[in-house]
Amino acid sequence: MRRKIKIQNSSGIHIRTAAELANLCENMPCDVKIMWKDRTYDGKSIIELLDARIRKGDEIILEVTGKEEDKTIRKIEDCILRWR
């Protein structure tokens, strides 16, 4: 399952948000990938999320595969959209 999400947080994905996202993904029963600029990043890796250098206004594609895809993608999307 895939979903396109626009990053609205003024600082993009930085250390706090990367940690929050990676910790959330780590506790999900699915594989989580984030695609941006022709690259794929592991959603469970803080290092990979920081390496992506995703900024405000960037559109990412969230890809979730495995058990409970619907629930997982909704939780991750809610987390990202709460960032301000």
Side-chain angles (χ1 to χ4, degrees), residues 26-82:
E26 185 65 36
N27 292 309
M28 296 295 164
C30 297
D31 287 328
V32 180
K33 302 293 180 195
I34 293 177
M35 290 167 271
W36 184 68
K37 284 195 171 180
D38 299 323
R39 288 199 52 202
T40 301
Y41 302 91
D42 182 354
K44 297 180 180 189
S45 169
I46 294 171
I47 299 299
E48 287 191 28
L49 293 171
L50 290 172
D51 183 50
R53 296 187 174 122
I54 298 168
R55 305 287 180 229
K56 179 181 180 176
D58 291 340
E59 286 189 348
I60 63 171
I61 296 174
L62 178 63
E63 181 180 73
V64 175
T65 54
K67 296 179 182 180
E68 301 180 18
E69 290 176 354
D70 276 340
K71 180 180 177 181
T72 299
I73 208 162
R74 275 186 272 119
K75 282 188 172 189
I76 295 169
E77 183 178 31
D78 288 347
C79 173
I80 292 171
L81 294 176
R82 271 196 328 265

Side-chain angles (χ1 to χ4, degrees), residues 7-14 17 54-56 83:
I7 302 299
Q8 298 179 25
N9 179 32
S10 62
S11 300
I13 296 181
H14 54 83
T17 53
I54 298 168
R55 305 287 180 229
K56 179 181 180 176
W83 297 339

